[in-house]
Amino acid sequence: MLELILAVLLGICAGTVTGLIPGLHTNTIALIVAGASATMLAWFSPLAVASFLIAMVVVHSFIDFIPSVFLGAPEDATVLSILPGHELLMQGRGYRALKLTVIGGVGTFFLSLFLIPIVFVFLENIYETLSKIIAPILIIFSILFILQERKFKKIFWASIIFLLSGALGLVVLNSISVKQPLFPLLSGLFGISTLFLSLFNTQKIPKQILASKIDCFTKSRFLDYFKAALSSLFVSVLPAIGAAQAAVISRAFTKFKDNEDFLVVLGGINTAAALFTLTTLYLIGKARTGVIAALKDIIELSFSDYIILIFVCFIAMIFGVILALKIGRFTAKNISRFNYHKMSVRVICFISIIVFFFSGLIGLWILFISSCIGLITPLVGVRRIHLMSVLVIPVVLYYI
């Protein structure tokens, strides 16, 4: 028992660190753990090591929205939160944006617990059906997103941006050997491009409002939790589908009243995926994330192990909520003291340094190209959702 408690606490610490440092992904830690598994298993039981990994990924799912909302430094799971999060930040409601993702994570986590028995019954049928329709769904809704621009000029530019982003994704993810390719890709398309535009205006980060009431139990909110839970099934069941693609599908199937609803769904997808990917591993032996793949190499899950790890998810969720709100509150309280122009320059430099550290010179080239493409969307007045083709097109070709 003491061994499991220690493993969970270490996983909580690791998830906090990976969540706060852009570019340091849980998959990186999982690879290190898998590589050192022979040594680690001499000191810890397989269940303890698995508990470390699960606790890390759950806590990370809450913490990683902090750099996305406050700094514009995303990873694949949080990339779509940059724009609504930044909008609320500039309204003095950045902490509220973070709280919405936390609420989404908690609400969807509990709803997903009730959905797990249904997943037990229907998983194999769901897998076969979804794997056949995922490519057509992504193609159809990508076209609909483009047509929603309405005016011919904007439809033209949306198509160009869609093709450019998709081509870049294909080249970087399939043809170039580079470590952590998603970080420079997404940071350029959504992060650096947003920060660069901010250099040309005089806006300041307003003082953040820390006290704000958020309804967690309304009909609309429960619908958000349900959307997130269903979307996270895409992440857990299908290969090559991540949280960002699941969010795009969710956005395609349903309408969101405002950015706040979308942030709730994003937070829910991020957290519930840990539950569903663990369930997928137990039921059909499929590992859909790097962390779960490492866990699969370390332990052969029995039903009792699975139940213990579900409980670990619950404990890690509690710590993730507390840490995200405490760190987020501290960040929101102090961020308005900084000159936004200088902070943007520093964040751009910081992201560039991290990209160079993880991905080298080729990573900086990817960052530059993706930033240029990312800048086109606001300059021509089309929505940035079209930039998600950087992930959508590779996934479509995977299933065709």
Side-chain angles (χ1 to χ4, degrees):
M1 181 60 70
L2 288 176
E3 183 185 54
L4 285 178
I5 293 173
L6 177 61
V8 171
L9 290 176
L10 289 173
I12 290 168
C13 293
T16 303
V17 172
T18 58
L20 289 175
I21 300 177
L24 183 57
H25 200 276
T26 52
N27 288 344
T28 305
I29 305 300
L31 285 172
I32 295 172
V33 170
S37 60
T39 303
M40 295 187 70
L41 291 176
W43 293 89
F44 299 98
S45 68
L47 183 58
V49 178
S51 297
F52 166 83
L53 291 171
I54 289 297
M56 175 181 66
V57 77
V58 171
V59 171
H60 177 96
S61 73
F62 288 98
I63 302 293
D64 63 350
F65 281 100
I66 295 175
S68 179
V69 169
F70 291 103
L71 298 179
E75 60 176 42
D76 55 320
T78 63
V79 61
L80 291 180
S81 70
I82 281 186
L83 301 180
H86 182 78
E87 182 177 316
L88 289 174
L89 177 70
M90 300 314 295
Q91 295 171 5
R93 298 190 295 162
Y95 185 57
R96 182 179 178 87
L98 178 65
K99 285 173 69 176
L100 288 165
T101 66
V102 170
I103 288 169
V106 175
T108 308
F109 181 91
F110 282 112
L111 179 60
S112 299
L113 285 177
F114 289 102
L115 291 177
I116 282 177
I118 299 174
V119 176
F120 265 68
V121 176
F122 296 107
L123 183 59
E124 291 186 7
N125 291 330
I126 289 174
Y127 175 77
E128 291 298 327
T129 302
L130 290 180
S131 61
K132 292 176 182 178
I133 66 173
I134 191 66
I137 284 175
L138 290 173
I139 291 171
I140 290 171
F141 283 105
S142 294
I143 294 172
L144 289 177
F145 283 144
I146 292 173
L147 293 178
Q148 283 176 357
E149 296 292 347
R150 299 182 183 278
K151 294 181 180 180
F152 176 79
K153 183 178 179 180
K154 288 190 175 183
I155 290 174
F156 171 78
W157 277 112
S159 302
I160 295 296
I161 290 165
F162 182 87
L163 294 173
L164 283 175
S165 300
L168 181 63
L170 284 175
V171 171
V172 173
L173 298 178
N174 296 331
S175 303
I176 297 178
S177 178
V178 58
K179 294 180 180 179
Q180 302 286 358
L182 285 177
F183 184 59
L185 265 179
L186 300 178
S187 292
L189 289 171
F190 295 91
I192 295 290
S193 56
T194 301
L195 291 168
F196 186 78
L197 285 176
S198 70
L199 298 178
F200 295 94
N201 59 51
T202 57
Q203 67 182 149
K204 296 181 179 179
I205 298 179
K207 186 176 180 179
Q208 300 296 299
I209 302 169
L210 299 179
S212 61
K213 183 181 178 181
I214 299 177
D215 293 323
C216 305
F217 304 107
T218 62
K219 181 180 178 181
S220 174
R221 200 63 78 214
F222 277 107
L223 182 60
D224 290 337
Y225 303 151
F226 187 70
K227 291 176 187 176
L230 289 183
S231 298
S232 64
L233 278 173
F234 285 97
V235 180
S236 58
V237 174
L238 296 175
I241 294 290
Q245 295 98 317
V248 170
I249 293 171
S250 175
R251 194 160 198 164
F253 273 115
T254 58
K255 291 185 177 181
F256 293 93
K257 290 190 296 184
D258 51 37
N259 285 334
E260 293 197 356
D261 281 344
F262 191 53
L263 285 170
V264 171
V265 172
L266 282 175
I269 292 173
N270 217 15
T271 301
L275 273 179
F276 287 129
T277 50
L278 181 62
T279 302
T280 301
L281 176 64
Y282 172 69
L283 289 178
I284 60 175
K286 301 291 186 180
R288 298 308 187 203
T289 67
V291 173
I292 298 299
L295 190 149
K296 181 182 179 182
D297 292 337
I298 290 166
I299 186 172
E300 185 174 342
L301 285 181
S302 64
F303 182 71
S304 61
D305 293 334
Y306 170 73
I307 295 300
I308 289 172
L309 291 178
I310 291 293
F311 184 70
V312 168
C313 286
F314 176 75
I315 298 300
M317 180 203 68
I318 295 174
F319 277 91
V321 169
I322 295 171
L323 288 168
L325 293 179
K326 290 288 186 182
I327 297 171
R329 186 180 184 87
F330 174 82
T331 305
K333 192 174 181 179
N334 292 281
I335 196 168
S336 61
R337 299 178 184 178
F338 297 97
N339 180 289
Y340 189 57
H341 184 277
K342 291 182 179 178
M343 192 183 77
S344 297
V345 172
R346 289 168 182 168
V347 173
I348 290 172
C349 293
F350 176 63
I351 292 175
S352 300
I353 291 170
I354 293 179
V355 166
F356 178 73
F357 179 78
F358 283 108
S359 306
L361 287 173
I362 194 168
L364 290 177
W365 175 83
I366 294 169
L367 184 69
F368 174 74
I369 298 297
S370 59
S371 298
C372 291
I373 295 174
L375 279 170
I376 297 173
T377 53
L379 294 177
V380 299
V382 299
R383 294 180 300 164
R384 296 199 184 193
I385 189 69
H386 310 301
L387 295 169
M388 286 307 299
S389 65
V390 72
L391 299 177
V392 169
I393 287 182
V395 170
V396 168
L397 292 181
Y398 177 90
Y399 283 104
I400 292 177

